Amino acid sequence: MITSAAISDIRAQVRNWRKNGETVAFVPTMGNLHLGHITLVEQAKLKADRIVVSIFVNPMQFGKNEDLDAYPRTLTADSNALIAAGADLLFTPTPEIIYPKGLEQQTYVEVPEIGDELCGASRPGHFRGVATIVNKLFNIVQPDMAFFGNKDFQQLLVIKTMVEDLSLPIDIIGVDTIREASGLAMSSRNGYLTADEKNRAAALKKALDTMALGIQQGQSVTSVTQVANQALQAAGFTPDYLEVRSATTLKQPLDSDKKLVIVAAAYMGKARLIDNLTFTR
């Protein structure tokens, strides 16, 4: 696996592959990789000839009250895992390379409406940072396709909307969430949990399952949401939001909407965990 922090190196390598008629898949990450990230690489290998992965802890998507400096940096372990997974090229830029003029002078990309609520409301500016860095990385790597986890459901819709609105020639592919045996979605943020908190955090997936089953059995959204919020609080969570939305638009569901998604964010200790469940009623 080739590793470089230089934009020119990434572009030159991808250009060489394209001369040989090879396709390129891209997996953008912030590092601290777990099985969910490796699964993205494995899925990418099934679709493309060459796999590019980026590791960049993006300061633009962190709020003023969020501890950017505390985000785990595990480059050596991440690099070894990517070599084992068969990645071809690892891009490891610094903030000075990505934002040479500083964040205040950086042109940004903003996806309206869909990026303004749920996590966008709880973390103002978060999806502006996500859309901007993903767009920049797309312009640097110029992949044929890019892979993202379905766990970050709203993020995936933001990126799909950006790609459609800006006419980017890239296929965006969502990959199913990888879970612990308890049902807890794998996440870099799980590293903030104590052993006891991690056990109790499994209640999040159970709450989503119970809500979906209740709606499918004819219970109201209001009643199942109330019960699920109580279950989360009993497990030690402080819910941020827990809502049923259209799985297509992420708007409040109409009676005619059949494909729904339950989206949730909740604090367990100092970890803010998110999860979702799509289902049909």
Side-chain angles (χ1 to χ4, degrees):
M1 181 178 72
I2 302 168
T3 300
S4 177
I7 292 173
S8 58
D9 288 348
I10 303 303
R11 285 178 166 158
Q13 185 59 62
V14 171
R15 211 163 35 237
N16 286 337
W17 288 335
R18 292 207 178 284
K19 286 180 181 176
N20 296 328
E22 295 178 303
T23 55
V24 177
F26 179 44
V27 181
T29 82
M30 294 210 303
N32 194 24
L33 304 183
H34 52 70
L35 183 58
H37 297 108
I38 300 305
T39 300
L40 298 182
V41 174
E42 293 172 346
Q43 290 297 308
K45 284 178 65 67
L46 298 176
K47 298 281 188 179
D49 300 310
R50 298 290 185 175
I51 312 302
V52 182
V53 179
S54 66
I55 293 178
F56 178 63
V57 182
N58 177 32
M60 188 182 281
Q61 68 189 71
F62 283 77
K64 293 181 179 178
N65 298 323
E66 299 174 339
D67 195 350
L68 169 66
D69 293 335
Y71 193 89
R73 272 80 166 175
T74 55
L75 182 58
T76 299
D78 293 345
S79 180
N80 290 336
L82 291 171
I83 291 170
D88 296 288
L89 178 59
L90 174 59
F91 182 37
T92 58
T94 63
E96 291 74 23
I97 291 173
I98 294 295
Y99 304 119
K101 294 182 291 187
L103 293 180
E104 296 302 321
Q105 301 298 317
Q106 173 64 45
T107 300
Y108 59 81
V109 178
E110 193 152 35
V111 180
E113 293 193 6
I114 200 168
D116 295 336
E117 52 187 335
L118 300 172
C119 282
S122 299
R123 306 177 66 190
H126 172 67
F127 285 120
R128 173 192 290 185
V130 170
T132 300
I133 186 58
V134 171
N135 190 277
K136 285 204 69 157
L137 292 171
F138 281 175
N139 286 332
I140 292 167
V141 177
Q142 298 190 6
D144 298 289
M145 61 198 82
F147 289 72
F148 296 85
N150 287 334
K151 182 179 78 69
D152 298 297
F153 188 86
Q154 186 177 12
Q155 172 179 281
L156 183 57
L157 287 187
V158 166
I159 292 167
K160 285 182 175 178
T161 302
M162 177 190 74
V163 166
E164 179 180 0
D165 289 353
L166 299 182
S167 303
L168 302 180
I170 302 169
D171 291 333
I172 303 301
I173 300 172
V175 176
D176 288 345
T177 301
I178 303 299
R179 297 183 181 278
E180 308 274 359
S182 66
L184 176 65
M186 289 192 179
S187 168
S188 298
R189 296 181 183 277
N190 292 355
Y192 296 129
L193 299 171
T194 65
D196 176 60
E197 288 171 342
K198 193 170 184 179
N199 286 333
R200 289 186 283 125
L204 184 54
K205 176 61 165 56
K206 293 176 182 175
L208 303 185
D209 289 338
T210 302
M211 286 181 69
L213 181 61
I215 293 170
Q216 289 172 325
Q217 292 176 339
Q219 298 180 44
S220 72
V221 169
T222 301
S223 65
V224 299
T225 303
Q226 184 177 22
V227 170
N229 265 314
Q230 291 171 347
L232 290 177
Q233 292 173 32
F237 273 109
T238 301
D240 181 356
Y241 62 76
L242 178 62
E243 298 197 25
V244 179
R245 297 291 183 98
S246 162
T248 305
T249 65
L250 209 60
K251 296 181 181 297
Q252 296 290 343
L254 304 173
D255 291 340
S256 58
D257 285 325
K258 301 302 180 188
K259 189 173 182 181
L260 304 178
V261 60
I262 304 169
V263 287
Y267 290 90
M268 174 63 77
K270 63 180 181 180
R272 183 178 183 274
L273 305 179
I274 61 172
D275 205 345
N276 69 83
L277 178 65
T278 56
F279 66 103
T280 303
R281 65 176 175 185

